[in-house]
Amino acid sequence: MLKIFYLDDEELLLDLFLDYFESENTDLHTFLSPEDAIQAARQSPPDIFFFFFRMPFMNGDDVAFAVDEDIPKYLVTGDINIKHKYKFDGVINKPYKYEDISKIIELHQKKRS
Amino acid sequence: MFDKFFKLSRDLFCVANDEGYFIEVNPAFTKVLGYSKEELLSKPFAEFVHPDDFQKTLNETQNLIEGQGTLEFENRYIHKDGTYRILSWSCSAPQKGEYMYAVARDVTAIRAAESKLSKIKDSLGRHAIIAVTDEKGIITDVNEKFVEISGYSKEELIGKTHRVVNSGAHTKEFFKNMWEKISSGESWSGVIQNRHKMGHFYFVYSILSPVHNTQGSIEGYISIRIDMTDYINLKFAYEKTYNVLNETSAIAKVGGWEMDVSNGELTWTDETFRILEVEKNNSSRPMLPEGLELFVEECKPIIEKAVSDCAERGIPYSLELEAKSAKGRVFWVYTNGKANYKDGKIVTISGTIQDIDSRKKAELALEKERMKSLHSLKLASLGEMSAGIAHEINNPLTVIAGTINLLDRYKDKPEKFKEKLCAMTKSCERIEKIVNSLKKFSRSSDNTEKKVCNLFQIINDSLSLMEIKAKTFEIDFKVDVNEQVSIFCDELEIEQVVVNLLSNAIDSVAEVEKREIQIISTEDQEFAVVRIIDSGLGIPEDEVNRIFEPFYTTKAIGLGTGLGLSISKGIIEDHDGELSYSKEGGKTCFQIKLPIHK
């Protein structure tokens, strides 16, 4: 079972994420606070980490550099032309399709098996 | 034979007895006095005499009876129409027991003419300056007025020529022409400058006429003069003032005008003619329609209405309009007008016209530049906001798209279904709100129009626009604004100012630990005061004086245009307000002061 973290400032999106992927044989964890997500990732690193970029006093780069380098990280953003330093595994633009996220999850499931 | 003379004579012949009755009168009596012969003989002649002359007539008659010889006297006889005729009598004394024989002449017209002449002479003598000379021009008589104006006594003047008062202001030619004319028998008239005995000058309008003797040759001259000194001095003073006024008007490029309301006739100063490039015609004055033609088509209805309101209702006006000179040059003028009253009625309207072409064109160019700068600033603000706006729109859009994706799963869970629909509605509202704010903010302000606006609404709209940026830094605005205050403004411009100040405040507090921004409104007499106070680092003391200069910025390169505060100050001043900076309890405070609309 894949452990997936999703960090976003939009609570409704976190709810939808849970609703959509609950049946996908995954261990889902959602976070509204970047600090909470970083702490959880350090304690028990996820298999995939989705997070957004524009957050209070921190951005996507800060979160990416704060956790284990080996964790696959995907930037989920509604911004236009975000300039980031961290080399993410992928960038998902809002509004996204769940099929795109599903494909990423499937990819990592395959890698793992 | 004598009977014929008796009947034909124009003089009045009569014969009277010692009882005071006419015995015989000639037809001239009837003609002059209007009575029939019978009426004249029917009552004592004394009854025809004027009451005031009655006693005199009686005395004269008595003298005659008493043998005083021939008498000559005048009395007044009443005409049948009630008027009086002056009769000049010549009577011979009767021999004892004989009748009186008398002849009278109607001298009414002669006496009236003499009286009139005497009055004219008297009046002329009192008001005019009169001198009489012989044929060589030597003064033989002067009146009191001549003595008074020249300062010489009568004795000093008589026996001398007019050279005694010569001022030296006129040429020999002038006097030669004058003498040639009067010595040829004609009259001469003109203004002469003379010198008073004390040395000062006086001016007289003179009429010089020759006096002829019975042989028709000139025996002397009479001069009648009127003192013109005050008038001439006034005229000099007026001309001097007029010239100074004209010169200063020309320098200031200000012309004057007046319009006679009764006929639309215009009086222009020289500068008005110059400004409008109209050729001055001394024989006719311009009329209102011609004056109105000297404006470009778009301005004609404006000036026409202003003039009409001023002439009919006394409403003053001051306008900046485009004029079109008589030579076709189009240029800006400032013109004003006000009504002038007489006995409560508007008789004229008058005002000025000024060539303001250079100033106005510079102003228009400056305004164009200002609009350009404002637009640049707006674009810069929009650019700065766009990333956040995209984020703000894409988030709810993802909620909507995601929910649609999952709706199928909720069809059997009505509560969940309803909850998701509600989430979609809220997301739609969020998008609508941000799009509306953006639409309003990015609207072009090329054609700005001031209107009465609610200050709270403007601040609220600005806060909505800055909400995203504030949220990024976890800043909560503390707002305390009076919802009832109205201002007369261009709301987009004021909103731009508030957005600029809020944006600066956010940038300022972003780097500090304690992040606070307060927006407080108060009223100070006629003004609404909005203070935007932040807990940021503030402005270094030595740079405070430069913050309203264009291109001044404390932000890092690329983060600020430096135009925000200078343009904001310009906008507020354009609204008759003030934008100022101060420190308030260690915090940074920008204060906007705008006149309240009541």
Side-chain angles (χ1 to χ4, degrees):
Chain A
M1 189 181 277
L2 279 181
K3 190 175 184 178
I4 302 168
F5 278 15
Y6 183 31
L7 163 66
D8 204 311
D9 64 341
E10 190 71 57
E11 204 169 352
L12 286 169
L13 282 180
L14 298 182
D15 290 347
L16 283 168
F17 192 84
L18 290 173
D19 281 356
Y20 195 88
F21 295 108
E22 65 181 353
S23 56
E24 299 259 342
N25 198 22
T26 48
D27 177 16
L28 300 174
H29 298 265
T30 57
F31 304 90
L32 269 172
S33 148
E35 290 85 0
D36 292 349
I38 292 167
Q39 200 182 356
R42 280 178 179 164
Q43 279 172 4
S44 170
D47 298 302
I48 314 170
F49 195 172
F50 295 101
F51 51 89
F52 73 122
F53 193 84
R54 186 184 284 265
M55 47 192 98
F57 314 110
M58 207 176 266
N59 62 31
D61 278 340
D62 300 328
V63 176
F65 287 118
V67 298
D68 192 338
E69 200 183 335
D70 295 334
I71 302 169
K73 300 172 194 79
Y74 291 87
L75 188 66
V76 184
T77 179
D79 287 288
I80 309 161
N81 297 330
I82 279 211
K83 285 174 185 164
H84 52 85
K85 292 172 190 162
Y86 192 83
K87 203 175 173 190
F88 290 97
D89 292 82
V91 176
I92 300 161
N93 287 307
K94 288 178 183 174
Y96 51 74
K97 287 178 182 163
Y98 286 109
E99 288 83 351
D100 298 336
I101 296 177
S102 283
K103 279 176 192 167
I104 292 166
I105 295 171
E106 277 167 27
L107 182 77
H108 285 277
Q109 273 172 339
K110 274 181 196 167
K111 272 187 186 174
R112 201 179 177 188
S113 59
Chain B
M1 189 176 75
F2 292 112
D3 189 48
K4 269 193 179 176
F5 285 133
F6 186 75
K7 283 177 180 164
L8 281 172
S9 173
R10 282 185 186 173
D11 288 337
L12 290 77
F13 289 178
C14 65
V15 182
N17 61 21
D18 55 3
E19 288 170 1
Y21 280 86
F22 288 125
I23 302 297
E24 186 62 74
V25 292
N26 72 343
F29 250 96
T30 304
K31 206 171 174 184
V32 170
L33 296 175
Y35 303 102
S36 66
K37 184 179 174 183
E38 290 69 32
E39 285 171 321
L40 288 165
L41 301 187
S42 66
K43 48 188 176 183
F45 57 74
E47 287 189 24
F48 294 100
V49 174
H50 190 287
D52 292 349
D53 297 344
F54 184 73
Q55 196 53 50
K56 181 172 87 175
T57 306
L58 267 185
N59 294 343
E60 295 290 348
T61 312
Q62 196 53 45
N63 288 340
L64 208 61
I65 291 167
E66 286 168 6
Q68 300 259 329
T70 306
L71 275 187
E72 286 184 2
F73 72 99
E74 286 181 7
N75 66 2
R76 286 167 288 177
Y77 265 64
I78 189 160
H79 188 278
K80 198 173 180 181
D81 65 9
T83 61
Y84 284 92
R85 298 284 185 270
I86 301 169
L87 301 181
S88 174
W89 290 96
S90 202
C91 315
S92 66
Q95 295 299 312
K96 211 169 186 173
E98 280 187 3
Y99 296 131
M100 284 184 286
Y101 290 85
V103 179
R105 178 166 287 182
D106 180 6
V107 293
T108 313
I110 295 166
R111 295 293 174 262
E114 280 173 355
S115 163
K116 206 170 169 182
L117 196 65
S118 159
K119 278 178 189 162
I120 291 169
K121 206 175 153 188
D122 187 46
S123 178
L124 204 63
R126 271 189 282 122
H127 297 103
I129 300 147
I130 300 170
V132 183
T133 71
D134 63 15
E135 79 280 10
K136 288 175 184 160
I138 292 166
I139 298 168
T140 55
D141 195 15
V142 291
N143 69 347
E144 258 318 295
K145 291 291 283 183
F146 197 114
V147 169
E148 198 180 296
I149 199 167
S150 67
Y152 292 98
S153 67
K154 203 169 182 173
E155 292 71 32
E156 286 174 306
L157 292 165
I158 289 172
K160 305 225 172 63
T161 67
H162 277 85
R163 281 197 194 99
V164 72
V165 289
N166 190 346
S167 64
H170 303 284
T171 60
K172 280 184 181 172
E173 193 71 16
F174 174 84
F175 290 114
K176 194 179 160 217
N177 290 341
M178 185 177 85
W179 268 106
E180 270 174 11
K181 190 154 192 188
I182 56 174
S183 58
S184 72
E186 287 182 58
S187 288
W188 180 93
S189 62
V191 175
I192 301 176
Q193 183 180 341
N194 284 339
R195 191 199 300 268
H196 186 272
K197 190 179 177 183
M198 302 305 287
H200 62 259
F201 298 115
Y202 62 91
F203 296 87
V204 282
Y205 180 78
S206 310
I207 302 166
L208 310 179
S209 301
V211 179
H212 297 89
N213 60 19
T214 47
Q215 279 77 42
S217 56
I218 294 169
E219 64 171 17
Y221 300 94
I222 183 160
S223 70
I224 298 166
R225 299 177 172 95
I226 301 293
D227 183 4
M228 301 279 287
T229 312
D230 287 347
Y231 171 78
I232 298 280
N233 285 340
L234 209 63
K235 201 175 157 214
F236 280 153
Y238 167 76
E239 277 173 7
K240 199 175 165 187
T241 311
Y242 184 75
N243 286 339
V244 170
L245 198 65
N246 256 341
E247 278 168 28
T248 48
S249 299
I251 293 164
K253 293 187 179 176
V254 181
W257 61 270
E258 188 180 70
M259 187 187 88
D260 185 335
V261 169
S262 67
N263 57 13
E265 192 176 71
L266 295 165
T267 305
W268 289 352
T269 63
D270 288 353
E271 188 55 21
T272 304
F273 279 99
R274 256 197 299 275
I275 290 171
L276 296 169
E277 296 182 316
V278 173
E279 208 166 306
K280 196 173 176 181
N281 182 344
N282 287 326
S283 61
S284 69
R285 284 179 176 174
M287 303 298 287
L288 179 62
E290 291 168 58
L292 296 175
E293 276 304 308
L294 292 161
F295 288 89
V296 299
E297 285 303 322
E298 309 89 273
C299 296
K300 277 181 196 167
I302 303 168
I303 185 73
E304 210 170 323
K305 186 175 183 310
V307 169
S308 147
D309 283 350
C310 188
E312 287 164 21
R313 293 155 62 200
I315 302 169
Y317 67 86
S318 62
L319 297 164
E320 287 186 356
L321 300 170
E322 265 193 299
K324 191 179 181 181
S325 79
K327 290 180 180 171
R329 184 172 73 95
V330 174
F331 62 108
W332 281 95
V333 292
Y334 165 80
T335 182
N336 62 8
K338 66 166 183 63
N340 305 310
Y341 295 81
K342 193 178 178 187
D343 301 329
K345 279 185 181 174
I346 299 171
V347 284
T348 60
I349 62 170
S350 60
T352 62
I353 184 163
Q354 188 177 6
D355 183 343
I356 56 160
D357 200 47
S358 315
R359 198 248 299 163
K360 186 71 183 177
K361 278 182 179 156
E363 260 178 33
L364 290 174
L366 194 69
E367 177 64 12
K368 207 173 166 185
E369 281 306 308
R370 197 179 77 90
M371 294 314 293
K372 264 193 202 167
S373 305
L374 192 62
H375 194 61
S376 306
L377 184 71
K378 194 166 271 190
L379 288 177
S381 303
L382 280 172
E384 198 185 327
M385 283 191 268
S386 63
I389 289 161
H391 174 266
E392 196 65 10
I393 290 176
N394 283 331
N395 263 7
L397 211 55
T398 312
V399 171
I400 295 165
T403 310
I404 291 168
N405 246 323
L406 290 170
L407 273 182
D408 222 26
R409 297 189 190 182
Y410 305 135
K411 62 184 177 189
D412 298 326
K413 300 173 188 168
E415 280 305 311
K416 194 91 176 167
F417 191 83
K418 204 175 162 186
E419 186 191 306
K420 294 294 168 190
L421 279 184
C422 187
M424 283 208 290
T425 309
K426 276 184 181 165
S427 298
C428 286
E429 283 169 359
R430 273 176 62 188
I431 296 170
E432 194 183 354
K433 190 181 168 193
I434 192 77
V435 169
N436 280 343
S437 306
L438 205 59
K439 205 162 82 183
K440 192 177 158 199
F441 185 74
S442 50
R443 216 163 57 201
S444 166
S445 26
D446 282 354
N447 296 311
T448 55
E449 199 180 312
K450 288 180 183 167
K451 58 183 181 190
V452 178
C453 302
N454 181 277
L455 182 62
F456 176 74
Q457 188 59 49
I458 293 174
I459 293 173
N460 232 13
D461 288 347
S462 312
L463 288 169
S464 298
L465 284 162
M466 297 317 292
E467 214 169 36
I468 308 155
K469 187 173 177 179
K471 211 162 99 184
T472 307
F473 301 103
E474 278 189 331
I475 299 162
D476 275 329
F477 293 125
K478 288 182 182 165
V479 184
D480 179 11
V481 177
N482 183 347
E483 296 181 23
Q484 307 303 325
V485 175
S486 293
I487 53 171
F488 186 70
C489 68
D490 178 331
E491 62 173 328
L492 289 181
E493 289 195 346
I494 302 299
E495 188 181 304
Q496 172 76 64
V497 172
V498 179
V499 164
N500 287 342
L501 295 177
L502 287 174
S503 179
N504 286 348
I506 293 168
D507 290 341
S508 175
V509 298
E511 304 299 323
V512 299
E513 202 178 322
K514 196 182 175 192
R515 295 176 288 272
E516 265 181 24
I517 296 177
Q518 288 169 275
I519 299 101
I520 302 166
S521 86
T522 49
E523 284 88 54
D524 176 13
Q525 292 172 352
E526 305 289 303
F527 291 89
V529 179
V530 179
R531 286 179 296 145
I532 296 172
I533 307 161
D534 70 65
S535 58
L537 296 169
I539 296 155
E541 281 296 317
D542 57 339
E543 293 187 30
V544 166
N545 292 336
R546 296 182 51 219
I547 56 171
F548 292 111
E549 288 175 13
F551 306 110
Y552 169 81
T553 181
T554 54
K555 295 177 187 173
I557 293 167
L559 288 180
T561 60
L563 281 170
L565 283 177
S566 73
I567 292 179
S568 297
K569 191 173 166 64
I571 290 172
I572 298 299
E573 284 173 358
D574 191 43
H575 285 78
D576 301 321
E578 279 172 24
L579 175 63
S580 57
Y581 162 81
S582 63
K583 277 272 179 192
E584 199 165 294
K587 294 178 180 174
T588 305
C589 174
F590 277 91
Q591 178 175 289
I592 303 170
K593 205 171 170 186
L594 287 166
I596 295 172
H597 180 83
K598 286 180 179 170

